[in-house]
Amino acid sequence: MREKYRTFLSMVAITSIMLVAVLIMYTFSVQSSLDTVQKDIKTNNLNRVQFVVNSLDQSLDRLNMLSISMETDNSIALLRSVDVMSSYEQVQLIQNIATKVNLQSLSEGWNNKISIYSILLKQWIISSEMGMKAPVFNSKNSGWHYDEASDKYYKYKVIPQTIIRLEFPRSNLEDIVENSHQGENESVFYNTNGNSITRKQANPVTSNIVKEIAAHLQPTSGSETVSVKGEKYIVNYVYSHQLGWYLIDFMPLDRALQPIRFSQFWFYASCIMLFIAGTTIIVVLFRKVQIPILALLKGVRLLKHGDFSYRIQRESSNEFDFLYGQFNDMAGQIEDLIEKVYKEKIVAREAVLKQLQAQINPHFLYNCLFFINNMTRLGNEEAVTAMTQNLAEYFRYTTRLDEPMTTLEKEMGIIRNYLKIQSLRMDRLSYEIEIPEELKTVPIPKLLIQPLVENSIIHGIEKKRDSGLIRISIKRIEHGLCIRIDDDGKGMSTDDILALKARIAKPPIDTLGCALWNISERLRIHDPVHSHLEFEQSPLGGLRVQLHWSLEPQPSENMDEL
């Protein structure tokens, strides 16, 4: 099959390899692009979030620096002795401090408030709200705190006899979140206590993403890819050391990679179209080129095997029609030549030679040699020795033409060699040979029985899957011998047996079917009255062939054919 379709299969293989190579290269390229783009998106978003958090920390640092600068201010320093001042002096000092505090708050550029509490006076001398309670300060927790009542973040700075309160509203962080929103990006402030600050019109999946990323947060910054409701998101986060909160930024990964996905989709669609187009071209080539070539090859093969009556009948509607016509003319000329020249040379001697050549079956020899090779590899020396000895005896006997006659015992010996060879090749083959002692020395022509045994194996035993049996029995009859070959093979119907008898009654074309015809012709030449072949169904289930051999041959009218 591979030899017949080698050209077609080569074209299919080349087309498939080219398409697969393009797909592999493009897939690798797209995957590399996707990885690079995804990495760049993570890096850019992380840098942007880092910049926002750094700006926040810088603003908080400036507030801290503001409290330190106020600590060294002369007016603030006078608060240490405010209790010994007159009421007028206290009012003047407080007004002076308030003016400076307001100026510093306005110069900060960030919405914030500064309140000052005098420990000596036990009151807020500058406050952001009316009725502020006295500060409760714990030195172990000096960071920023959130006051839910005022919705502000605050921090205390303690100096001698004075407490400075720094505060900024929650709206500062909300503005940062609002300003960080760009396109598909969404930002949220989050602390480890579970609190978060989001936009007013935040993405509905924000809370789910925060829950997913909360377990993966590192002390500084990082990037993660999380999946929420079947959609992947790139999440970047940065920790604010001043505030103690994380700024988390996320964006849908598929939407960011949508342009590349779009081009990838169209590329694969183009590949499918190319595959369909390639398949169509291959089918057209198969119908227009491969099938006509196979028709020519079939004709050449049949001519090679002697079927000179074959003609190509199909039409291709292309250049192959001319080739078909030339082939048919050539076949007709060869057939005429065979009929005029070679059919006139069929004589008894050629029949014997053809029969002998038929025995030296190259496939039989190849199978035996392959068996020897396989058994040698397996180390089965006994099988190799048995096959070699039987094969040598078989060919030594069949290739000697100087002795046309032999004894029945020697003929049975070569048949045993042949059956042993076949049984070595097929473990399922068994055989039985029954020959009376007094008939072993009876003379018969060489290779008269062996072709019948070979036919039983080839056309009977080999065509069945289970075990097979060949039984050979010889007995004396009135005019000579009856040699009976039974097998339990496929067998033949009554119509098939009649067709076989009609076929061997006519000379074969070249060497096709010459074995049975040769035997029948040799029997006819030896004794046309009492020597002949009979075919019938065997009791074993296969076919029975009976060879009648006359021990007292009658003169034949066709002896001059020799």
Side-chain angles (χ1 to χ4, degrees):
M1 179 65 70
R2 184 179 299 176
E3 295 294 331
K4 291 173 59 178
Y5 298 96
R6 176 175 296 176
T7 303
F8 176 72
L9 293 177
S10 299
M11 295 175 63
V12 173
I14 292 172
T15 304
S16 301
I17 290 172
M18 291 177 61
L19 185 60
V20 170
V22 171
L23 285 174
I24 291 175
M25 293 177 62
Y26 181 79
T27 302
F28 176 78
S29 175
V30 169
Q31 190 61 45
S32 300
S33 300
L34 290 174
D35 294 340
T36 303
V37 171
Q38 185 173 346
K39 183 178 180 181
D40 290 342
I41 291 174
K42 284 185 177 181
T43 303
N44 293 334
N45 287 346
L46 184 61
N47 291 337
R48 185 173 58 82
V49 176
Q50 186 74 57
F51 175 78
V52 174
V53 173
N54 289 340
S55 299
L56 173 64
D57 287 347
Q58 289 175 5
S59 297
L60 296 177
D61 281 338
R62 286 195 295 270
L63 283 178
N64 290 331
M65 293 300 296
L66 181 61
S67 65
I68 294 174
S69 64
M70 292 179 64
E71 183 179 358
T72 59
D73 188 87
N74 293 329
S75 299
I76 301 297
L78 292 175
L79 290 175
R80 301 173 185 175
S81 58
V82 69
D83 58 332
V84 298
M85 294 181 182
S86 64
S87 298
Y88 177 78
E89 290 175 339
Q90 289 179 357
V91 172
Q92 291 293 324
L93 178 61
I94 292 172
Q95 289 179 349
N96 187 24
I97 292 174
T99 301
K100 291 184 177 181
V101 168
N102 290 332
L103 288 175
Q104 289 180 341
S105 296
L106 293 175
S107 64
E108 175 63 24
W110 207 50
N111 190 4
N112 64 85
K113 295 291 183 179
I114 300 176
S115 301
I116 299 177
Y117 181 84
S118 175
I119 299 177
L120 294 175
L121 297 178
K122 297 182 180 180
Q123 67 178 13
W124 292 97
I125 61 175
I126 298 175
S127 62
S128 59
E129 298 178 357
M130 296 297 295
M132 289 181 60
K133 297 180 180 180
V136 179
F137 177 72
N138 186 357
S139 60
K140 294 182 179 180
N141 191 7
S142 59
W144 290 94
H145 304 277
Y146 177 64
D147 183 9
E148 294 184 359
S150 61
D151 201 20
K152 294 179 181 179
Y153 290 87
Y154 65 91
K155 181 180 181 180
Y156 291 111
K157 175 69 176 178
V158 179
I159 59 177
Q161 305 301 325
T162 305
I163 298 177
I164 300 175
R165 174 187 169 106
L166 305 174
E167 62 182 37
F168 64 89
R170 177 188 173 96
S171 60
N172 284 5
L173 300 181
E174 293 175 349
D175 291 341
I176 292 176
V177 171
E178 289 287 347
N179 295 331
S180 298
H181 174 67
Q182 296 180 358
E184 299 292 339
N185 288 76
E186 188 78 29
S187 298
V188 56
F189 271 111
Y190 172 78
N191 68 1
T192 55
N193 295 328
N195 299 322
S196 62
I197 300 175
T198 61
R199 293 191 310 116
K200 294 180 180 179
Q201 297 178 350
N203 193 316
V205 300
T206 301
S207 58
N208 295 331
I209 291 178
V210 170
K211 290 179 182 179
E212 289 288 334
I213 199 65
H216 305 285
L217 294 175
Q218 301 296 324
T220 55
S221 63
S223 298
E224 296 287 342
T225 302
V226 300
S227 180
V228 176
K229 296 181 179 180
E231 187 173 2
K232 291 185 178 181
Y233 293 84
I234 298 177
V235 182
N236 298 279
Y237 59 89
V238 177
Y239 181 72
S240 173
H241 295 280
Q242 290 291 335
L243 189 62
W245 285 59
Y246 287 93
L247 179 59
I248 300 174
D249 179 269
F250 64 90
M251 67 177 300
L253 178 61
D254 290 338
R255 297 180 189 177
L257 302 178
Q258 186 175 6
I260 299 178
R261 300 288 190 190
F262 184 77
S263 62
Q264 185 182 25
F265 168 78
W266 280 110
F267 174 80
Y268 286 131
S270 300
C271 287
I272 293 174
M273 295 176 64
L274 288 174
F275 176 77
I276 294 174
T279 303
T280 303
I281 293 173
I282 290 173
V283 170
V284 171
L285 289 175
F286 179 77
R287 295 184 60 183
K288 297 296 184 180
V289 178
Q290 186 67 32
I291 292 179
I293 290 176
L294 291 177
L296 285 173
L297 290 176
K298 178 182 178 182
V300 172
R301 184 169 57 254
L302 291 175
L303 287 181
K304 178 182 178 181
H305 291 287
D307 187 1
F308 301 106
S309 62
Y310 178 77
R311 301 292 184 271
I312 300 177
Q313 303 296 334
R314 73 184 314 274
E315 295 182 359
S316 298
S317 301
N318 53 28
E319 293 80 358
F320 281 97
D321 288 337
F322 174 76
L323 293 177
Y324 293 158
Q326 297 299 313
F327 174 85
N328 291 337
D329 292 342
M330 179 187 68
Q333 293 176 8
I334 293 175
E335 185 177 20
D336 292 340
L337 183 63
I338 293 297
E339 290 179 355
K340 292 178 181 179
V341 179
Y342 291 99
K343 286 187 178 181
E344 298 176 358
K345 297 182 179 180
I346 300 177
V347 292
R349 188 167 181 270
E350 285 188 345
V352 175
L353 291 176
K354 287 183 179 181
Q355 194 278 333
L356 178 60
Q357 292 169 357
Q359 307 315 307
I360 308 176
N361 189 335
H363 295 290
F364 169 73
L365 178 58
Y366 296 158
N367 291 335
C368 294
L369 294 177
F370 283 135
F371 175 86
I372 293 172
N373 182 49
N374 292 333
M375 292 300 104
T376 303
R377 290 182 178 179
L378 297 174
N380 192 343
E381 296 181 359
E382 293 182 0
V384 172
T385 301
M387 175 61 80
T388 304
Q389 290 177 350
N390 285 286
L391 192 62
E393 291 293 330
Y394 176 80
F395 280 105
R396 181 185 295 115
Y397 182 84
T398 58
T399 55
R400 294 186 63 181
L401 301 176
D402 55 339
E403 296 178 3
M405 297 297 291
T406 185
T407 62
L408 192 58
E409 182 179 15
K410 291 181 179 181
E411 183 73 359
M412 288 297 106
I414 198 60
I415 291 175
R416 285 192 180 91
N417 289 130
Y418 178 78
L419 290 173
K420 287 179 181 178
I421 291 172
Q422 295 291 2
S423 63
L424 286 172
R425 290 181 53 246
M426 297 185 296
D427 293 335
R428 58 190 178 89
L429 176 65
S430 59
Y431 58 91
E432 299 175 0
I433 299 177
E434 300 174 3
I435 175 173
E437 189 69 25
E438 67 273 13
L439 299 179
K440 290 183 178 180
T441 58
V442 173
I444 61 171
K446 292 178 64 174
L447 301 174
L448 188 67
I449 305 174
Q450 189 272 340
L452 301 176
V453 177
E454 183 176 355
N455 280 347
S456 295
I457 293 176
I458 295 176
H459 300 292
I461 302 301
E462 286 188 350
K463 293 187 176 181
K464 58 180 294 188
R465 296 185 177 179
D466 51 357
S467 60
L469 173 64
I470 299 291
R471 178 179 295 164
I472 303 173
S473 59
I474 304 173
K475 65 179 181 178
R476 183 181 290 274
I477 58 177
E478 181 180 356
H479 297 284
L481 300 177
C482 177
I483 303 171
R484 180 179 295 167
I485 297 97
D486 289 285
D487 65 77
D488 62 348
K490 181 181 178 181
M492 299 179 69
S493 65
T494 303
D495 293 337
D496 292 335
I497 292 175
L498 294 176
L500 177 61
K501 290 180 178 179
R503 189 163 62 249
I504 65 173
K506 300 178 182 179
I509 299 176
D510 199 13
T511 58
L512 293 177
C514 66
L516 292 178
W517 182 83
N518 284 339
I519 295 174
S520 178
E521 192 69 7
R522 293 169 74 182
L523 294 176
R524 184 182 65 83
I525 294 173
H526 173 71
D527 186 347
V529 178
H530 301 107
S531 296
H532 59 276
L533 285 175
E534 293 181 355
F535 303 91
E536 61 185 39
Q537 295 177 352
S538 173
L540 297 181
L543 182 67
R544 167 177 288 179
V545 181
Q546 295 188 118
L547 188 152
H548 294 267
W549 177 254
S550 174
L551 296 181
E552 298 178 359
Q554 300 295 322
S556 174
E557 298 177 355
N558 298 322
M559 287 299 292
D560 57 339
E561 294 180 7
L562 297 175

